[in-house]
DNA sequence: AATATATTCAACCATATGGTTGAACATGAA
DNA sequence: TTCATGTTCAACCATATGGTTGAATATATT
């Protein structure tokens, strides 16, 4: 299995998205484009530090990127990364469909060994 | 905001999917169709109880359903539920696109107030 | 140089999570 | 009735998570 690394990334991604505040941050970033940490934090009833930590989680999951200019950090959404999850969904669905097709085959032909 | 409830469901769903073992269980269920808890557990280097707990998490997220017949519980994948996440992705992307379109407009017309 | 702003780091805390083991419960088989 | 099977419940444990506060760091501004 070369699977391990991408599985870890998927875990990181889904965990990052599984928090309501972080999803709100992503939404905000998509709406507003690149934003400073302080500006983002103003929207939440939570300390700046908490938001800073949330952003770090999103960054590790590669859901956002950071460009530091002077003392201010510009955070930007990286929605491409979502495809990691989408691809997994797709794979899961195709596995599901495959089983249904095989069942269908059996129903039609009266069994898998009718040659 | 009537949002709250569906946001909680999304959190439940993404958290459920964010664990590697639970994703493996879902894959297994898609491949094999309805399965007993014990049968599922045999594939993992983990106690039956641990798997039982994972299944409960998937069940709360409505990613699987359970049909109890006698003493055995038949667990089945419910891949429909994935659409909850897919719809959120879609929404996020459309918010992203909307901003890009507006930017584009500004580039073309030299500003948002050129009437 | 002194002060203000933007941000992270570190330590701490409460609660959640993912695992374990040992009963308990429900049902099937001898 | 007795024993075996399928599953959950309960208590426990270590680590992760999401929040806090108080410094520390880096860079602007006066």
């Amino acid at each position: 299995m070369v699977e391990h690394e991408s599985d870890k990334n998927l875990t990181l991604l889904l965990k990052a998205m599984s928090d309501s505040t972080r999803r709100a941050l992503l939404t905000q970033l998509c709406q507003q484009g690149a934003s400073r940490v302080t500006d983002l934090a103003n929207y939440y009833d939570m300390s700046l530090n908490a938001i800073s930590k949330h952003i770090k989680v999103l960054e590790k999951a590669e859901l956002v990127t950071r460009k530091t200019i002077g003392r201010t950090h510009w955070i930007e959404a990286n929605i491409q990364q979502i495809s990691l999850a989408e691809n997994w969904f797709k794979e899961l669905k195709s596995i599901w469909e495959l089983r249904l097709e095989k069942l269908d085959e059996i129903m039609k032909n009266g069994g898998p060994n009718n040659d």
Side-chain angles (χ1 to χ4, degrees), chain A:
Chain A
M1 291 245 199
V2 192
E3 187 63 2
H4 287 159
E5 199 53 37
S6 87
D7 189 60
K8 263 188 202 169
N9 289 340
L10 189 51
T11 296
L12 231 52
L13 180 73
L14 291 169
K15 269 202 196 321
M17 294 193 299
S18 76
D19 180 88
S20 184
T21 303
R22 285 194 291 264
R23 284 198 303 277
L25 281 166
L26 281 175
T27 303
Q28 212 183 332
L29 283 163
C30 283
Q31 283 170 344
Q32 308 178 356
S35 312
R36 301 182 311 151
V37 179
T38 316
D39 292 341
L40 290 168
N42 279 333
Y43 287 77
Y44 303 87
D45 188 19
M46 200 178 296
S47 73
L48 169 68
N49 284 20
I51 297 298
S52 171
K53 275 166 87 174
H54 278 307
I55 291 172
K56 215 190 309 179
V57 173
L58 292 170
E59 200 183 2
K60 289 234 172 85
E62 293 175 69
L63 275 164
V64 306
T65 58
R66 180 189 306 255
K67 188 173 292 179
T68 303
I69 296 179
R71 65 186 164 183
T72 89
H73 298 208
W74 292 94
I75 310 298
E76 190 156 29
N78 175 34
I79 56 167
Q80 327 299 327
Q81 186 70 356
I82 289 179
S83 65
L84 233 157
E86 285 174 326
N87 288 342
W88 182 67
F89 294 171
K90 213 163 139 187
E91 201 183 308
L92 197 66
K93 280 181 186 173
S94 78
I95 291 172
W96 173 269
E97 293 301 334
L98 194 66
R99 206 189 94 259
L100 288 195
E101 278 163 28
K102 276 184 186 157
L103 271 184
D104 217 45
E105 195 80 3
I106 291 170
M107 295 302 276
K108 275 195 204 119
N109 301 338
N113 293 320
N114 67 329
D115 49 5

